[in-house]
Amino acid sequence: ENSSIQVAKQAAYGSSWNANSYHYEERDYTSWGKKRLNELLDKVDTNGLPFSAKSQEFTLELKTEMKKLDGDAWCNIRKGKKLTCFNYELELAFKGHIAGGTNKWDLEGKFFYEVAVDDDEPETRFEFKQRYPFQKEVEKALCNFVTAKFSVFVAELSAKGNGQKKEGFAAKTETRVQVGQYQKYEQGPDGVKALQETAKKYSDKMNAAAKEQDKPAKHLHCENPTH
């Protein structure tokens, strides 16, 4: 089995201010990532994980426990492309047994797993309390088990922020107008047009009300195009 983690290239849509999603944006998913990895790997059963050694079939009946989880997860966009990024160091304890035929052997130890988005394969290291002739096969089976879980995590991380153009990567910021006052707009180029349209509607409304009351009409600076 391939122990590498694949990250697909994706098109991306930035915030409403980011014309054509060209400019750099980043969104942090570290808090979500820590919670999700614990759900996938902490206190999880391997459920008869199979492996073979010397023409014999075995299964791993183990339970994991997350001892350490450090790292970050984030997504960014640039020039209409989204990059899914992560780097993690995990320490997993495991305890249970190996089953083969009618025999069972105790197995307990720790698994150190380090992975980043640019790695071809994760870096791994094992500590066992017991040693068996098929130790390498056990290591490979455990590594594939964790990598499969991590691939689920990466697929879910990659899906975050997807959506429709101008509404996907970041939530669209709604324009804001407060009657009788101006507010600062932080939407970039797209916000200028929205401000002009909203201000014109407000100006027309005020002018109509002034005409009914025979008062001078008020004009907003944004009634006429500024760009």
Side-chain angles (χ1 to χ4, degrees):
E1 286 186 51
N2 188 353
S3 58
S4 63
I5 297 169
Q6 304 299 318
V7 182
K9 294 182 179 179
Q10 296 175 292
Y13 302 114
S15 299
S16 58
W17 58 262
N18 195 346
N20 299 318
S21 302
Y22 184 86
H23 301 288
Y24 181 86
E25 288 186 54
E26 181 175 303
R27 178 169 285 186
D28 182 69
Y29 291 107
T30 298
S31 295
W32 170 85
K34 183 175 183 179
K35 179 176 181 293
R36 187 65 180 118
L37 283 172
N38 272 290
E39 290 173 350
L40 289 167
L41 288 167
D42 185 38
K43 297 176 177 60
V44 174
D45 293 320
T46 57
N47 293 323
L49 184 67
F51 72 94
S52 58
K54 298 180 179 179
S55 302
Q56 298 184 55
E57 300 299 321
F58 301 90
T59 58
L60 291 176
E61 302 284 353
L62 304 173
K63 193 177 187 80
T64 66
E65 182 180 353
M66 187 77 78
K67 292 294 188 180
K68 176 184 175 183
L69 174 58
D70 293 329
D72 304 279
W74 68 98
C75 294
N76 60 51
I77 65 166
R78 177 75 168 92
K79 296 183 179 180
K81 301 295 183 182
K82 185 169 87 171
L83 298 177
T84 299
C85 307
F86 54 86
N87 60 79
Y88 281 99
E89 292 183 20
L90 288 71
E91 180 184 331
L92 283 174
F94 54 87
K95 186 174 182 179
H97 58 264
I98 303 168
T102 59
N103 299 314
K104 287 186 177 182
W105 301 270
D106 290 338
L107 186 65
E108 185 176 351
K110 291 181 180 179
F111 182 20
F112 301 88
Y113 187 95
E114 184 175 348
V115 65
V117 66
D118 294 327
D119 293 344
D120 292 330
E121 291 187 356
E123 294 185 16
T124 62
R125 181 170 60 86
F126 289 87
E127 293 179 0
F128 291 98
K129 285 193 173 181
Q130 303 88 3
R131 302 294 299 181
Y132 298 107
F134 37 73
Q135 207 77 18
K136 290 297 182 182
E137 289 80 3
V138 171
E139 291 180 4
K140 184 177 180 181
L142 278 173
C143 185
N144 288 338
F145 174 78
V146 173
T147 298
K149 297 286 188 179
F150 211 96
S151 294
V152 172
F153 166 81
V154 171
E156 293 176 357
L157 175 62
S158 297
K160 285 190 169 293
N162 287 350
Q164 300 301 314
K165 190 174 183 179
K166 291 300 180 188
E167 297 177 357
F169 185 80
K172 185 176 181 180
T173 306
E174 296 183 359
T175 54
R176 301 173 296 159
V177 170
Q178 183 173 338
V179 176
Q181 299 181 25
Y182 294 108
Q183 287 190 330
K184 182 179 180 181
Y185 283 74
E186 298 178 346
Q187 293 184 334
D190 290 351
V192 174
K193 184 178 179 181
L195 176 57
Q196 291 169 350
E197 292 175 354
T198 306
K200 188 177 187 306
K201 290 179 183 178
Y202 176 61
S203 180
D204 292 343
K205 180 180 177 182
M206 294 293 290
N207 290 342
K211 184 178 287 188
E212 289 180 5
Q213 300 176 21
D214 197 25
K215 292 181 179 179
K218 294 182 178 181
H219 297 275
L220 298 181
H221 296 295
C222 291
E223 186 175 351
N224 298 316
T226 59
H227 288 70

